[in-house]
């Protein structure tokens, strides 16, 4: 369903994604794991055609991201890490607007909206303006919005961030249901414990590269560990992990300096 | 292009629910434009009546040295002659407004006048105080009248007819109609307001659909839909342009209605009449709407660089000043004769065309050059906005 081939993305001389390749298939939950800043979100953005790859390419449901970006977008549903809604629109209106942009109309669209309101348990606030919503409520609407067109490929970037246990359960149940229906679900998260419960196969990203790609069982077996977190540390080495953290902190500071220089 | 219309409809609906857009784009032009225009005229009217009714307060250094002149001024009920002052005390009183003009005569004044010699009278006034200036003008006229009367009396003594003093008799004939005089008056303010509303009308919605979309974090979700960036920008641009145009249309119609139902006639006997003909209004509409469209594109290009509302306002303020300053400067210079190149500068050209139209001077070349220039700039602005929207760095600046 998704075929990523030697994908590289460079921003202003900074390599965010380097030579990443992997393949996923329908009916699985695929984990894209790694610490913050490893390049997961950039990878997703390139796959979803929001960003242009520097080199390499990818295919989504048989469509090439460079040659057929609009077909790719029609077949993919992405929940972005940063969720935002139109505050002056109700939950239903938010969903309807995106439905229209996916060329859905009339009764088919209204039925789909009604189904999602049921599935994500949004009945109590579906007709209230999003400005008053809690993080959990917003997250549910954002999820519904991202899959309004019933895509075959679903990518969720940190879908349970900021959610309480109960709301998380709703989202998790939804992902499992999507897998049962034969869709591909890509779960991108830094929370390895969370991923361990859900994912069939995982790809681990570290410093813009893919460092592991396998089923969970085999990964744990190879590294002789009990959970994905330990497996990750085993693969990249604890010292290296710390080094990356330091690098990231420095980059952040440098970024601030740069912003000041160019900010008006 | 269907997606553009979807985006357009959404942005309009969204901004209709936003009080800020409603206030700046709808309420302000409807009420502010007529209130400011008619208010300015009322104020000028009041000011003119006030200065006409003002009775200048005059003081002499020594009234006893000029009894004839003092009597002449006192008999004319339009002046008040107050107690004698030294030049220093007179100056102090003029600063406070207790005195408007101070006349200083020499001790030999009366003698020289009666002997038929020119006698000097110094007329102290302060040109930085409006009341003093008006009083000075009135006193000067009174002194000339005194001069004439004295001259007529002297000629009569010598049996010479006074008409001999008048060689020519200039008779001014002003053939400007009351409407044209009104148009000249309104030409100082109205054109600037049209440019102002062309910018302000679209300002909030331009920020809302660009920087606002980033601030709310909805931009990425929007870019993830199959709609292309070009169609998204087009939809947003249409929404901004429609709002700005609505502002212009509402403000002009509200002004038209205000002048139709409450025509401000002032001056003695209706010297100024403000009436806007449908032809004038339609040319102003055309220029105003195209100007609004052009500024919409520019606003959209500027605001997309910002991450938040606040930042966008920071970017737009200098842009706004840059657009409005030349406009307010050229529109406040009286009698400035623009050459053809001035009609190519966006904003400024609008001011001149509207000014001409208000004076019923319909110069086809000027109107066409203005419309052409505004259209070209509008296309450039839309093109720039589209280019900026396809730049990754601008969209994901975090």
């Amino acid at each position: 369903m998704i075929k990523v081939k030697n994908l590289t993305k460079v921003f202003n001389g900074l390599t965010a994604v380097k030579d990443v390749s992997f393949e996923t298939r329908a009916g699985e939950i695929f984990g894209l794991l790694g610490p913050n800043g490893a390049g997961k979100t950039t990878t997703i953005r390139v796959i979803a055609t929001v960003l242009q790859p520097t080199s390499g390419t990818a295919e989504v449901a048989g469509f090439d991201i460079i040659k057929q970006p609009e077909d790719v977008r029609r077949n993919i549903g992405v929940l972005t890490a940063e969720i935002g809604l139109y505050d002056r629109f109700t939950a239903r209106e938010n969903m309807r607007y995106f439905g229209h942009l996916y060329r859905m109309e009339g009764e088919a669209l209204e039925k789909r909206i009604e189904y999602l309101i049921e599935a994500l348990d949004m009945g109590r606030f579906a007709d209230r303006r999003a400005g008053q919503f809690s993080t959990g409520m917003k997250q549910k609407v954002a999820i519904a919005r991202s899959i309004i067109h019933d895509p075959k490929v679903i990518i969720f970037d940190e879908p349970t961030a900021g959610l309480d246990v109960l709301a998380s359960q709703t989202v998790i149940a939804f992902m499992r249901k999507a897998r049962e229906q034969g869709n591909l679900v890509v779960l991108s998260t830094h929370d390895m414990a969370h991923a361990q419960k859900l994912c069939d196969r995982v790809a681990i990203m570290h410093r813009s590269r893919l460092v592991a790609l396998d089923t969970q069982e085999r990964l744990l077996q190879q590294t002789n560990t009990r959970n994905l977190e330990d497996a990750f540390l085993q693969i990249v080495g604890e010292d290296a992990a710390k080094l990356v953290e330091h690098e990231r902190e420095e980059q952040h500071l440098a970024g601030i300096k740069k912003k000041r220089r160019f900010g008006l | 292009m269907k997606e553009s219309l979807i985006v357009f409809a959404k942005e309009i609906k969204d901004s209709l629910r936003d009080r800020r857009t409603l206030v700046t784009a709808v309420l302000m032009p409807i009420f502010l434009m007529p209130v400011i225009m008619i208010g300015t005229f009322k104020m000028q009217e009041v000011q003119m009546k006030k200065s006409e009714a003002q009775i200048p307060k005059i003081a002499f250094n020594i009234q006893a040295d000029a009894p004839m002149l003092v009597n002449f001024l006192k008999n004319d009920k339009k002046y008040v002659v107050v107690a004698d002052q030294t030049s220093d005390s007179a100056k102090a009183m003029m600063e406070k407004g207790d005195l408007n003009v101070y006349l200083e005569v020499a001790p030999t004044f009366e003698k020289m006048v009666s002997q038929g010699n020119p006698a000097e009278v110094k007329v102290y006034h302060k040109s930085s105080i409006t009341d003093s200036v008006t009083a000075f003008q009135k006193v000067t006229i009174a002194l000339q009248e005194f001069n004439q009367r004295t001259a007529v009396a002297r000629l009569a003594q010598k049996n010479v007819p006074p008409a001999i003093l008048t060689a020519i008799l200039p008779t001014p004939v002003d053939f400007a109609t009351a409407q044209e005089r009104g148009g000249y008056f309104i030409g100082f303010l109205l054109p600037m307001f049209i440019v102002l509303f062309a910018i302000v009308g679209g300002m909030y919605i331009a920020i809302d659909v660009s920087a606002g979309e980033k601030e709310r974090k909805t931009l990425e979700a929007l870019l993830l839909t199959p709609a292309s960036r070009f169609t998204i920008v087009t939809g947003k641009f249409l929404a901004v342009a429609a709002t700005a145009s609505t502002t212009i249309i509402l403000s002009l119609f509200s002004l038209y209605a205000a002048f139709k139902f409450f025509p401000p006639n002032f001056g003695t006997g209706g010297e100024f009449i403000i009436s806007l003909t449908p032809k004038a209004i339609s040319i102003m509409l055309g220029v105003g709407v195209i100007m609004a469209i052009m500024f919409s594109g520019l606003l959209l290009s500027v605001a997309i660089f910002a991450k938040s509302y606040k930042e966008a306002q920071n970017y737009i303020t200098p842009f706004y000043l840059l657009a409005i300053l030349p406009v307010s400067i050229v529109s406040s210079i009286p009698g400035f004769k623009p050459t053809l190149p001035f009609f190519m500068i966006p904003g400024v050209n609008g001011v001149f065309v509207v000014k001409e139209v208000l004076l019923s001077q319909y110069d086809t070349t000027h109107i066409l050059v203005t419309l052409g220039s505004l259209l070209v700039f509008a296309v450039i602005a839309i093109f720039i906005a589209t280019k900026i929207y396809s730049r990754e760095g601008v969209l994901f600046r975090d």
Side-chain angles (χ1 to χ4, degrees):
Chain A
M1 284 240 134
I2 296 181
K3 280 186 204 162
V4 179
K5 296 171 217 157
N6 310 101
L7 203 69
T8 297
K9 176 69 187 173
V10 181
F11 284 116
N12 302 325
L14 238 130
T15 309
V17 176
K18 193 165 167 94
D19 201 22
V20 168
S21 303
F22 61 84
E23 265 184 47
T24 63
R25 42 184 181 267
E28 71 172 344
I29 297 183
F30 182 84
L32 187 59
L33 312 179
N36 290 334
K40 304 187 299 287
T41 299
T42 307
T43 306
I44 293 171
R45 281 177 175 167
V46 175
I47 292 172
T49 76
V50 174
L51 296 178
Q52 294 265 334
T54 309
S55 66
T57 186
E59 252 176 44
V60 176
F63 297 106
D64 187 86
I65 59 164
I66 299 166
K67 290 174 203 140
Q68 299 146 298
E70 284 175 28
D71 291 312
V72 169
R73 291 204 290 273
R74 228 178 287 281
N75 283 288
I76 199 169
V78 181
L79 174 74
T80 54
E82 280 178 334
I83 48 148
L85 304 174
Y86 297 113
D87 290 347
R88 294 185 289 269
F89 276 23
T90 65
R92 202 185 290 270
E93 286 168 335
N94 268 286
M95 288 183 259
R96 195 177 289 140
Y97 175 47
F98 280 85
H100 287 154
L101 287 172
Y102 283 101
R103 299 230 168 165
M104 299 168 74
E105 279 170 337
E107 212 176 313
L109 174 60
E110 296 309 314
K111 265 189 183 160
R112 175 71 180 160
I113 292 172
E114 211 47 61
Y115 165 78
L116 289 169
I117 289 172
E118 281 284 306
L120 289 163
D121 191 21
M122 300 189 289
R124 282 157 292 110
F125 56 86
D127 292 304
R128 304 188 80 161
R129 290 201 185 173
Q132 322 148 354
F133 290 0
S134 69
T135 315
M137 291 151 94
K138 280 186 180 167
Q139 185 77 335
K140 284 181 179 180
V141 182
I143 290 170
R145 173 185 70 189
S146 67
I147 51 172
I148 188 82
H149 53 304
D150 200 7
K152 293 182 206 116
V153 177
I154 300 170
I155 302 182
F156 281 0
D157 198 355
E158 304 287 0
T160 52
L163 294 192
D164 64 22
V165 189
L166 293 172
S168 292
Q169 282 314 308
T170 317
V171 176
I172 289 166
F174 190 87
M175 284 194 273
R176 290 202 166 115
K177 201 169 166 195
R179 168 172 59 186
E180 277 165 33
Q181 289 167 347
N183 295 322
L184 160 67
V185 180
V186 175
L187 170 64
S188 160
T189 180
H190 69 280
D191 186 345
M192 310 241 176
H194 187 86
Q196 193 164 7
K197 280 187 283 179
L198 276 165
C199 299
D200 305 306
R201 291 195 309 139
V202 296
I204 298 179
M205 282 190 78
H206 180 59
R207 305 184 74 178
S208 321
R209 289 167 189 275
L210 208 64
V211 291
L213 174 66
D214 220 326
T215 62
Q216 273 201 52
E217 295 76 30
R218 260 188 282 176
L219 216 60
L220 296 182
Q221 234 171 34
Q222 277 164 18
T223 53
N224 197 20
T225 49
R226 285 196 188 170
N227 58 53
L228 281 177
E229 212 160 318
D230 290 341
F232 170 72
L233 289 176
Q234 180 92 48
I235 292 165
V236 302
E238 252 175 275
D239 289 343
K242 267 204 181 122
L243 199 74
V244 166
E245 204 184 336
H246 293 165
E247 253 176 30
R248 235 187 22 233
E249 285 162 1
E250 264 167 37
Q251 260 173 26
H252 178 78
L253 293 176
I256 287 171
K257 252 192 210 160
K258 203 172 161 192
K259 249 182 232 166
R260 281 219 187 108
R261 218 181 305 142
F262 289 109
L264 282 168
Chain B
M1 269 348 242
K2 199 185 160 207
E3 279 91 352
S4 293
L5 294 180
I6 294 168
V7 173
F8 167 77
K10 179 261 162 191
E11 298 299 0
I12 292 291
K13 186 176 174 187
D14 202 352
S15 64
L16 281 177
R17 290 181 181 177
D18 184 7
R19 229 171 278 146
R20 281 172 298 192
T21 317
L22 270 185
V23 169
T24 52
V26 179
L27 292 180
M28 196 183 63
I30 291 182
F31 293 107
L32 210 59
M33 190 82 144
V35 165
I36 289 177
M37 289 298 151
I38 291 179
T40 317
F41 284 115
K42 286 282 166 220
M43 257 170 64
Q44 275 174 334
E45 203 179 328
V46 168
Q47 200 59 43
M48 270 166 77
K49 282 194 179 142
K50 228 171 143 187
S51 74
E52 268 168 34
Q54 188 214 2
I55 295 175
K57 281 173 271 200
I58 307 168
F60 278 85
N61 54 340
I62 300 162
Q63 287 183 28
D65 280 345
M68 268 200 293
L69 182 58
V70 171
N71 277 335
F72 172 77
L73 289 172
K74 276 185 178 168
N75 284 339
D76 197 338
K77 293 278 181 274
K78 283 187 257 167
Y79 306 92
V80 175
V81 180
V82 300
D84 289 351
Q85 303 291 332
T86 64
S87 74
D88 286 338
S89 67
K91 280 176 187 164
M93 281 174 79
M94 286 207 288
E95 296 280 0
K96 276 191 271 173
D98 295 335
L99 186 67
N100 307 123
V101 169
Y102 175 62
L103 299 178
E104 193 180 83
V105 292
T108 53
F109 180 81
E110 193 76 6
K111 199 175 139 200
M112 289 184 60
V113 173
S114 46
Q115 281 174 357
N117 291 321
E120 189 193 24
V121 50
K122 279 188 180 140
V123 188
Y124 285 82
H125 65 284
K126 191 158 192 179
S127 59
S128 56
I129 299 172
T130 316
D131 278 353
S132 181
V133 174
T134 353
F136 168 68
Q137 285 161 351
K138 286 182 180 174
V139 170
T140 311
I141 292 167
L143 292 177
Q144 274 164 359
E145 212 182 310
F146 180 79
N147 235 351
Q148 248 168 12
R149 281 197 197 186
T150 314
V152 167
R154 284 175 188 167
L155 289 173
Q157 268 182 0
K158 294 185 178 169
N159 283 325
V160 180
I164 202 162
L165 283 180
T166 317
I168 53 161
L169 208 65
T171 314
V173 181
D174 183 1
F175 64 93
T177 62
Q179 272 96 339
E180 283 167 348
R181 275 192 290 260
Y184 177 78
F185 242 79
I186 200 177
F188 285 102
L189 269 183
L190 181 61
M192 209 180 85
F193 271 90
I194 293 180
V195 180
L196 205 94
F197 281 134
I199 300 178
V200 174
M203 207 156 92
Y204 272 105
I205 185 169
I207 296 177
D208 199 57
V209 302
S210 55
E213 189 111 45
K214 277 198 206 170
E215 185 169 308
R216 278 190 300 261
K217 316 252 181 245
T218 46
L219 182 64
E220 193 176 351
L222 185 62
L223 298 178
L224 282 163
T225 65
S228 74
R229 293 202 186 159
F230 177 72
T231 54
I232 292 173
V233 188
T234 309
K236 286 176 182 291
F237 167 74
L238 286 177
V240 178
T243 309
S245 303
T246 307
T247 306
I248 289 282
I249 293 168
L250 285 177
S251 64
L252 282 173
F253 272 104
S254 147
L255 193 68
Y256 179 70
F259 281 143
K260 198 157 183 80
F261 296 118
F262 315 97
N265 291 352
F266 64 99
T268 41
E271 279 168 24
F272 299 93
I273 295 174
I274 310 293
S275 74
L276 300 170
T277 60
K279 186 180 175 191
I281 283 283
S282 44
I283 292 178
M284 285 193 253
L285 268 181
V287 169
V289 166
I290 297 181
M291 205 146 60
I293 290 172
M294 179 204 68
F295 281 125
S296 299
L298 290 176
L299 282 171
L300 213 53
S301 310
V302 175
I304 190 63
F305 279 100
K307 277 187 299 184
S308 65
Y309 255 92
K310 254 191 165 168
E311 208 184 320
Q313 276 166 340
N314 289 344
Y315 293 165
I316 281 178
T317 308
F319 163 81
Y320 175 74
L321 285 178
L322 213 69
I324 212 79
L325 266 182
V327 166
S328 54
I329 290 169
V330 295
S331 80
S332 63
I333 303 172
F336 180 74
K337 278 255 174 283
T339 48
L340 201 58
F342 276 93
F343 288 91
M344 293 173 193
I345 308 171
V348 171
N349 53 11
V351 169
F352 288 129
V353 164
V354 173
K355 255 188 176 182
E356 287 182 353
V357 165
L358 287 170
L359 293 171
S360 323
Q361 300 169 348
Y362 298 98
D363 187 323
T364 320
T365 316
H366 289 173
I367 294 170
L368 289 181
V369 168
T370 297
L371 291 179
S373 142
L374 288 174
L375 272 177
V376 167
F377 277 99
V379 170
I380 292 174
I382 301 165
F383 180 75
I384 292 173
T386 318
K387 279 278 154 232
I388 292 173
Y389 266 80
S390 47
R391 278 179 51 188
E392 294 175 349
V394 174
L395 298 179
F396 295 100
R397 233 192 74 195
D398 39 37

